[in-house]
Amino acid sequence: MSVNTDRYESAVARYFEAWNATEPEALTKAVAAAWAADGGYTDPLAEVRGHAEIAAVIAAAHAQFPGFSFRPLGTVDGHHDTARFAWELVNEADGTAPVAGFDVITLDGEGRIRQVLGFLDRVPAGA
């Protein structure tokens, strides 16, 4: 495994730690560990910048889907300072995954996220 592959996988692991943090203090710490201070997040439903706004988007997702967690699908693929990966939002009670997508992240020199571009492939009606 190359150093770059480790870098991408580490960044994505921190990303999922943030998305799966449900307690406010844990969420704040996980977002700070994953994103650069001025990092951003953009998907079809949100465009935010900075740790507080990113944490608010994550908290809103947990409020909309309580009892769900994010998990990666497949492998992380990357080059230079960019990586992509697929994910799904899984109901912990029954294993269903009503939401899925893929994200493209750009990393800074320290391996923290500068920007996320998220795409939604599967979203339930009315979500």
Side-chain angles (χ1 to χ4, degrees), residues 18-105:
W19 275 98
N20 287 319
T22 57
E23 298 300 321
E25 185 176 330
L27 176 56
T28 298
K29 287 181 181 179
V31 167
W35 269 270
D38 64 344
Y41 177 86
T42 302
D43 72 13
L45 306 173
E47 184 171 15
V48 298
R49 184 152 302 282
H51 291 172
E53 291 182 8
I54 293 166
V57 166
I58 293 170
H62 285 287
Q64 185 175 3
F65 294 96
F68 284 72
S69 62
F70 289 87
R71 72 175 173 202
L73 289 174
T75 59
V76 177
D77 181 31
H79 61 82
H80 296 86
D81 289 331
T82 304
R84 67 178 178 168
F85 53 94
W87 54 266
E88 62 186 356
L89 182 60
V90 179
N91 183 324
E92 295 173 2
D94 65 14
T96 59
V99 182
F102 78 93
D103 291 348
V104 176
I105 61 173

